[in-house]
Amino acid sequence: MATQSNITLYTEGTPNGLKISIALEELGLSYNVREIALTKHEQKEPWFLEINPNGRIPALTDIDENGQEIKIFESGAILQYLAVVYDKDHLISYPAGSREGWEVTSWLMWQVSGIGPMQGQANHFARFAPEKHFYALNRYVHETRRLYRVMDTALSKNPSGYLVGDRVTIADIAIWPWVAAYKFSGVPTIDEFPAVKSWLYRLLERPGFERGRHVPKPHVHLALNELSEEELDERAKYGVQWIQDAMARDAAS
């Protein structure tokens, strides 16, 4: 039975959003889900900007021990909040100040400053740019591949198959949704990273990952990895004009 909480998750089925739903499921917490209609720019509406002034998902609200509402944005910060406040038994974390705890923090920062931005840009230039810019595409895809190699080396050295110590942590959770979307982001194959590939599908066997990846709607990225480049480009057509409109709106604001 899920542990009761006052958490509301504001999200969509993007890699950053899936981090939080997976963590919540791994912790066995009950939570409310508010799906944000990104294509309708709901994330820019005043009510949402009161929760996340940056106008991005995910965001999370909760009620603290004094009955006050807490508003948290940025996926890495939300993961740390869940670990500190709700993971007293260290199901997906290690004690604060421990050697393993600092390693988890290091990998989490590696994700939010490396894999996320680099693969996000690779995704944009591979699928959503109105024309192909091969220098930019190669720049971001090759950097994503370099980061995968870093991770592959680390995983191959840990007999547990996790990034840190003997358990899944918020570091693994933060990275998994991005790796699951490798081909849609322009990385042609995962086979050149055997330890990463094993880790990707091993984590998928966990009930928390399986439930969490389908919030707020069925997860598609693993299935997209089976499509051809032409099929992927066709699937991405819906977003090209929307992203151009969003860029123009952001520039004018």
Side-chain angles (χ1 to χ4, degrees), residues 7 9 11-31 33 58 60 75 78-79 82-83 87 91-92 162 168-181 199-200 202-217 219-222:
I7 290 172
L9 172 62
T11 192
E12 239 301 358
T14 68
N16 284 333
L18 295 179
K19 298 175 190 177
I20 312 307
S21 52
I22 290 172
L24 288 164
E25 294 292 343
E26 283 286 324
L27 288 171
L29 295 173
S30 68
Y31 58 101
V33 177
L60 181 145
S75 58
I78 297 172
L79 287 174
L82 294 175
D87 193 19
L91 300 175
I92 58 171
Y162 301 117
V168 68
T169 67
I170 58 173
D172 301 280
I173 292 170
I175 299 165
W176 188 91
W178 284 99
V179 174
W199 167 92
L200 174 69
R202 180 183 179 198
L203 290 180
L204 188 60
E205 297 172 1
R206 299 178 64 92
F209 275 74
E210 179 58 26
R211 291 191 301 268
R213 75 185 178 106
H214 295 297
V215 176
K217 61 184 63 170
H219 183 235
V220 300
H221 286 135
L222 286 175

Side-chain angles (χ1 to χ4, degrees), residues 155-156 158-165 172 195 198-200 202-203:
L155 287 169
S156 67
N158 190 350
S160 75
Y162 301 117
L163 277 169
V164 179
D172 301 280
S198 176
W199 167 92
L200 174 69
R202 180 183 179 198
L203 290 180

